[in-house]
Amino acid sequence: MRHPLLEVRSLTTHFFTEDGIVRAVEDVSFEIYPGEILCLVGESGCGKSVTGLSILKLIPIPPGQIVRGEILFNGRDLLKLSEKEMEGVRGNEISMIFQEPMTSLNPVFTIGDQIMEAIQLHQKLNKRDARKKAIEMLDRVKIPSPEKRIDSYPHQLSGGMRQRAMIAMALSCQPKLLIADEPTTALDVTIQAEVLRLLREIQREMEMSVMLITHDLGVVSEVGDRVAVMYAGRIVEYGPIEDIFHEMRHPYTRGLLESIPQLEVKKTRLNAIPGQVPNPLNLPEGCKFHPRCPLRIEDCRREEPPLFEVKEGHYSRCLRWKECR
Amino acid sequence: MGSEILVQVQDLKKYFFKERLFSTEKEPIRAVDGISFSIRKGETLGLVGESGCGKTTAGKAILRLIEPTSGQVFFKGKDLMSLRGEELRKLRPFMQFIFQDPYESLNPRMRVGEIVGEGLEIHGVARGKEKRERVEEVLEQVGLHPQDAFRYPHEFSGGQRQRIGIARAIALRPELIVADEPVSALDVSIQAQILNLLMDLRDRLGLTYLFISHDLRIVKHISDRIAVMYLGKIVEMASSEVLFRQPLHPYTQLLLQAIPRLDPAKREEKIFFKETFLSLEKERGCLFAPRCPHFKERCAREAPFLVDHGDEHWVACHFV
């Protein structure tokens, strides 16, 4: 029996704002196993990024607060660690990369300086060895002539190269888990394909786990092993990638997939999901998706459904999951 | 779709000159570098390419929202580039623009009714009661409520704001709409709603679209024909069905391959090409050569022209 590397249990993160409580993440539970890529997918405001930030305790407090839950990393509850202890986890055991590499790279230092800083902070290496290691990392993410590029400033690199440099930095301490928040969203489609392939290759070589946060089911289909679909702060469907794409059992997952134009068939109309994403300050009663759902019945209005087990490892938060296919 | 040509673009160029404090750099940025195509009445032409390829600049230059450096655009047979002041203004109602960002393209201090009705007044199409009625009618056409005319843009979600932008564009009963990434800023579930709306309006009002997007799935879905742009030039143009079934230009081929398949079983089939630091000699050679997997010596010397390979399938490559 495999043991999960990361186990998130009943994570609940709220933001206490002037306008009211934003329940960004509500009772979210999932596991990430060693060497797998778990995708967290959903539209803007569904709580996927807040989930990622909560794991590293990077939520701004106030207004944010992790209200409940456990985040077990190798059996250790990160929520119980002191800030000092967390610093030993961040960038070392768990790394994170973000959508826009330009905002997370410091423009006044070379990428080499920045990668070396990360290495020297967590590993006892002198400057020369750290530089050697940094060149090795740049080579690993397939940046051409790394011994020259190491002295480039971020603005001298293209978007794709910058994201590679970010990945090199994030991986320089051989983390066991990489949290990648929309890593390819700012990139062109050809560059996206390359960065995704790189991520997948390195993840296999280093036997690292990845939590990939994205709004794009296309990205999920390219790299994911398992998928958690989020809507209005909840996981609504959770399971192996083949099930999510071919045997989905939640009407929201189905709606998301059918909203994307198919290349193979020419259809005149798309099956759009009607209505709007609900206001997080004013979520509907019962199932959060019911106002937009084609399968809704009276019961959906009354009570929030639990996660039903469709089969081992595949769950759906829909009362009518049996009819949703 | 008739065979009557509504828009004809000929060798359109837009160069930007980097201005420095004491000098103007001689070498311009060739955002749009000699593109030519035509759009038939009722047709949707998709203009697709990656960021920086010049597709938005092209769209704006065609409507003369920015002044082109050179070239000609014929709209309903009139040469837009030769028109001045009042003459151009008289044509404006017939050609409208939909912007990408529904948050920045609507004046936050104006009510929706004013935003949608402003053009009617400026062009003297309708005033007072007549204007109000037209605004209500248009709001209903885009799926909003007539009462929404009294609200402000910030009260609406992204998708609804884009509906307001569309209402503004169709209020003057245009014939041509240039839509610049009209759904890129929206969530997936809302994108589909807006695409459906744009297609409904096209069919109901007989509109002609120049649809600009980086998203190949969306362009394929909505377009009759597609032009692929790379670094300011059109490298391939064909009916959307043919372009996807039989892409001929190496850039188009790689672009199509890079589209995520939405089927985890079909993963590892992609061929990749290099990101590059090479730069070509200026004004010589094929611009795609440094990234091209089929690169040959001739490509560095000589720029290929866009050539018809039959059935209006145009390709700019020496080795097709």
Side-chain angles (χ1 to χ4, degrees), chain B residues 244-275:
Chain B
F244 272 74
R245 187 157 37 88
Q246 198 185 16
L248 293 178
H249 195 284
Y251 177 62
T252 313
Q253 291 169 354
L254 291 163
L255 209 52
L256 297 191
Q257 259 178 22
I259 309 173
R261 281 292 103 103
L262 289 178
D263 185 350
K266 290 191 184 151
R267 255 176 213 173
E268 320 271 350
E269 291 174 6
K270 296 191 167 77
I271 304 168
F272 286 87
F273 62 110
K274 41 194 187 269
E275 246 184 292

Side-chain angles (χ1 to χ4, degrees), chain A residues 44 190 224 263 268-269 273, chain B residues 50 187 193 199-200 220 267:
Chain A
S44 48
T190 52
L263 292 176
T268 43
R269 282 186 72 84
I273 304 175
Chain B
E50 297 185 288
D187 272 321
Q193 295 176 4
M199 291 192 293
D200 288 349
K220 160 132 200 291
R267 255 176 213 173

Side-chain angles (χ1 to χ4, degrees), chain A residues 6 60 128 167 169 185 250 299 313:
Chain A
L6 180 84
R128 241 187 68 212
I167 294 172
M169 193 189 310
T185 304
H250 196 285
D299 287 351

Side-chain angles (χ1 to χ4, degrees), chain A residues 38-274:
Chain A
L38 177 82
C39 293
L40 224 51
V41 64
E43 297 180 289
S44 48
C46 72
K48 56 193 191 300
S49 288
V50 175
T51 303
L53 292 171
S54 297
I55 292 170
L56 281 175
K57 296 211 278 186
L58 290 172
I59 296 292
I61 306 171
Q65 199 189 323
I66 298 175
V67 182
R68 245 192 331 277
E70 287 178 321
I71 295 170
L72 302 171
F73 182 70
N74 267 334
R76 200 161 49 137
D77 188 353
L78 298 184
L79 295 182
K80 295 209 172 82
L81 297 188
S82 68
E83 184 50 32
K84 190 96 194 121
E85 290 170 305
M86 261 327 274
E87 279 169 20
V89 174
R90 285 187 207 121
N92 196 24
E93 293 179 77
I94 307 178
S95 264
M96 188 155 182
I97 54 175
F98 299 92
Q99 172 172 347
E100 187 24 83
M102 207 54 197
T103 54
S104 8
L105 288 169
N106 191 331
V108 301
F109 291 103
T110 65
I111 55 168
D113 289 337
Q114 298 181 59
I115 298 173
M116 284 157 64
E117 186 196 358
I119 295 170
Q120 287 185 295
L121 195 65
H122 294 292
Q123 296 177 2
K124 303 264 174 289
L125 288 181
N126 64 30
K127 210 168 168 206
R128 241 187 68 212
D129 290 341
R131 188 177 165 89
K132 231 177 93 191
K133 176 96 200 245
I135 293 174
E136 201 184 296
M137 286 313 299
L138 290 177
D139 190 40
R140 194 147 196 188
V141 297
K142 303 204 171 100
I143 291 186
S145 34
E147 60 294 334
K148 279 191 216 136
R149 288 291 144 198
I150 188 166
D151 296 317
S152 302
Y153 288 89
H155 75 269
Q156 295 172 311
L157 302 179
S158 67
M161 285 297 155
R162 261 182 237 141
Q163 198 55 289
R164 282 164 199 261
M166 270 306 297
I167 294 172
M169 193 189 310
L171 303 187
S172 56
C173 295
Q174 268 106 25
K176 296 193 188 72
L177 174 65
L178 175 71
I179 300 177
D181 189 354
E182 303 271 10
T184 58
T185 304
L187 304 177
D188 280 323
V189 55
T190 52
I191 311 299
Q192 162 172 294
E194 289 178 53
V195 170
L196 288 178
R197 183 173 71 157
L198 175 76
L199 206 60
R200 179 108 220 167
E201 268 175 25
I202 291 191
Q203 174 262 339
R204 277 189 199 142
E205 275 170 37
M206 296 177 60
E207 293 172 355
M208 175 180 68
S209 304
V210 177
M211 176 170 138
L212 188 110
I213 299 169
T214 180
H215 72 285
D216 187 341
L217 279 168
V219 170
V220 174
S221 78
E222 290 293 319
V223 298
D225 293 311
R226 288 188 310 121
V227 186
V229 183
M230 288 188 74
Y231 186 79
R234 282 107 176 125
I235 288 180
V236 295
E237 189 164 6
Y238 178 47
I241 185 150
E242 301 80 21
D243 290 6
I244 297 296
F245 279 86
H246 299 302
E247 301 274 329
M248 73 288 274
R249 293 304 185 118
H250 196 285
Y252 178 62
T253 312
R254 166 167 292 275
L256 267 188
L257 264 166
E258 290 184 349
S259 297
I260 306 172
Q262 297 291 311
L263 292 176
E264 294 75 21
V265 280
K266 179 95 186 173
K267 272 175 68 179
T268 43
R269 282 186 72 84
L270 294 165
N271 285 329
I273 304 175

